Amino acid sequence: MPDRKTRLRRAVSRSALAPLAALPVRLARVARHDAKVLRESARWLVTSREHHNYTYDLTKLNLEHLAWFVSVVAEVPVADVRAWIAEIEADTALRTHIERTTANAARRGLADRHVRYARRLGWYALIRARKPQHVVETGVDKGLGTCVIAAALLRNAAEGHPGRVTSLDINPEAGYLAKAQPWADVVDLVIGDSIASIGALDRPVDMFLHDSDHSAAHEQREFTAIEPHLAERALLLTDNVTYTTVLLKHAEKTGRRFLAFKEQPVRHWYPGDGIGAAWR
Ligand SMILES: C[S@@+](CC[C@H](N)C(=O)[O-])C[C@H]1O[C@@H](n2cnc3c(N)ncnc32)[C@H](O)[C@@H]1O
């Protein structure tokens, strides 16, 4: 028979007093979690200059999830995906170019010099896997993603699969990282509202990435506008997948499969973005 103390604990856990009795343990757990977020936030306020479109590294486990995500979407062995991720991480010419250009840019006061690609590693690997001839990216900002896409297209071209990226942004100052060679050789930067620019596209699109105005209404307008321009087996991607259901609904409506990847940033208060993918 259980002793008196155990009998008492069991009686409390079954009674209406249970939530009150567990309060100290619950408080300690949530305080430990919140203290960690506050510590990361304070460190970020002092060490980072970014005010939007944050950059960070992904946890080791999260990188594995990303590799498997790309493997499933592109139907390629996960070992190939890991090799492509290692390939861009080892691309010192690209990294040095981004670091130097950031250090000398007019907007350097609002950019971190350290280069962290995060989910863009997934974009890179998807392009290496699917060898698209024409990629369209909406939303360019400094041009970090554009450079990553261009780097993948240049590697594909060296292996006999040339391709170009059309990058659309409403801000005339966008894309300064993507204006240097060799990356600029495969980039067509178009300034204007993405919906109008999509309407003016004159060749089929093999891969489309939404990363511009993140309102659900604008995201929806982009996927509707791009549809008549898509090649038969085009891959649709969104940067908005952790916030809206636009792409998953569009996938269902258009008879595509859908999958989502969610980032886990290392030592950052921001919970991360993700990649949504829809394909046939
Ligand atoms: C999140 S940033 C893009 C990030 C970029 N793809 C990267 O990898 O770092 C969003 C960009 O979308 C642009 N944007 C916002 N509304 C837009 C619109 N209606 N048409 C085109 N670009 C737009 C902004 O100027 C901004 O540069």
Side-chain angles (χ1 to χ4, degrees):
M1 171 157 180
D3 61 18
R4 196 167 160 267
K5 212 167 143 194
T6 309
R7 286 203 309 276
L8 187 64
R9 208 173 48 238
R10 284 185 187 164
V12 168
S13 73
R14 282 193 294 262
S15 79
L17 290 175
L20 204 61
L23 194 60
V25 175
R26 285 154 45 81
L27 259 176
R29 293 222 168 117
V30 77
R32 259 203 306 278
H33 172 271
D34 291 352
K36 188 171 167 228
V37 176
L38 279 176
R39 263 197 318 276
E40 296 304 358
S41 307
R43 192 189 63 81
W44 176 81
L45 282 171
V46 176
T47 57
S48 174
R49 301 170 174 187
E50 295 175 345
H51 70 309
H52 79 131
N53 199 18
Y54 311 115
T55 62
Y56 35 75
D57 290 315
L58 302 181
T59 67
K60 240 175 127 178
L61 175 64
N62 198 217
L63 276 175
E64 264 301 293
H65 292 168
L66 180 57
W68 277 101
F69 167 84
V70 172
S71 164
V72 170
V73 172
E75 295 174 46
V76 290
V78 70
D80 291 359
V81 181
R82 291 194 192 104
W84 289 321
I85 290 176
E87 179 179 87
I88 184 173
E89 292 284 26
D91 188 338
T92 45
L94 178 63
R95 193 172 289 274
T96 307
H97 156 67
I98 294 170
E99 277 167 359
R100 288 206 183 128
T101 311
T102 301
N104 296 315
R107 286 162 71 188
R108 63 184 172 275
L110 293 172
D112 288 354
R113 290 190 191 173
H114 194 71
V115 182
R116 308 176 198 95
Y117 300 121
R119 64 196 172 285
R120 297 174 190 85
L121 297 169
W123 305 353
Y124 183 90
L126 283 167
I127 292 169
R128 292 291 278 128
R130 292 185 55 120
K131 321 273 187 231
Q133 288 177 25
H134 188 200
V135 180
V136 171
E137 171 199 33
T138 71
V140 176
D141 191 29
K142 304 171 191 75
L144 181 58
T146 314
C147 282
V148 166
I149 292 167
L153 292 170
L154 287 168
R155 295 269 186 177
N156 286 350
E159 293 169 2
H161 304 281
R164 299 189 68 78
V165 56
T166 307
S167 295
L168 317 176
D169 204 292
I170 204 163
N171 179 359
E173 289 173 15
Y176 59 84
L177 290 175
K179 289 185 174 164
Q181 282 171 332
W183 305 280
D185 288 344
V186 291
V187 175
D188 299 308
L189 189 59
V190 179
I191 300 301
D193 179 72
S194 62
I195 305 301
S197 303
I198 288 169
L201 290 170
D202 59 2
R203 63 209 158 87
V205 176
D206 302 298
M207 194 178 289
F208 176 80
L209 167 65
H210 160 82
D211 193 11
S212 61
D213 172 345
H214 283 268
S215 67
H218 191 82
E219 186 185 7
Q220 177 65 69
R221 278 197 290 275
E222 282 192 4
F223 283 116
T224 305
I226 197 66
E227 201 59 45
H229 300 274
L230 294 175
E232 175 60 22
R233 287 192 60 253
L235 174 64
L236 300 176
L237 302 175
T238 183
D239 202 68
N240 229 6
V241 73
T242 50
Y243 298 101
T244 76
T245 54
V246 169
L247 185 55
L248 67 87
K249 285 190 175 147
H250 187 79
E252 193 166 355
K253 209 168 83 187
T254 56
R256 293 182 170 94
R257 283 174 279 176
F258 173 83
L259 204 59
F261 161 78
K262 163 85 176 75
E263 289 181 320
Q264 285 171 345
V266 175
R267 300 188 69 201
H268 205 290
W269 60 268
Y270 187 65
D273 290 311
I275 306 177
W279 76 103
R280 288 198 175 101

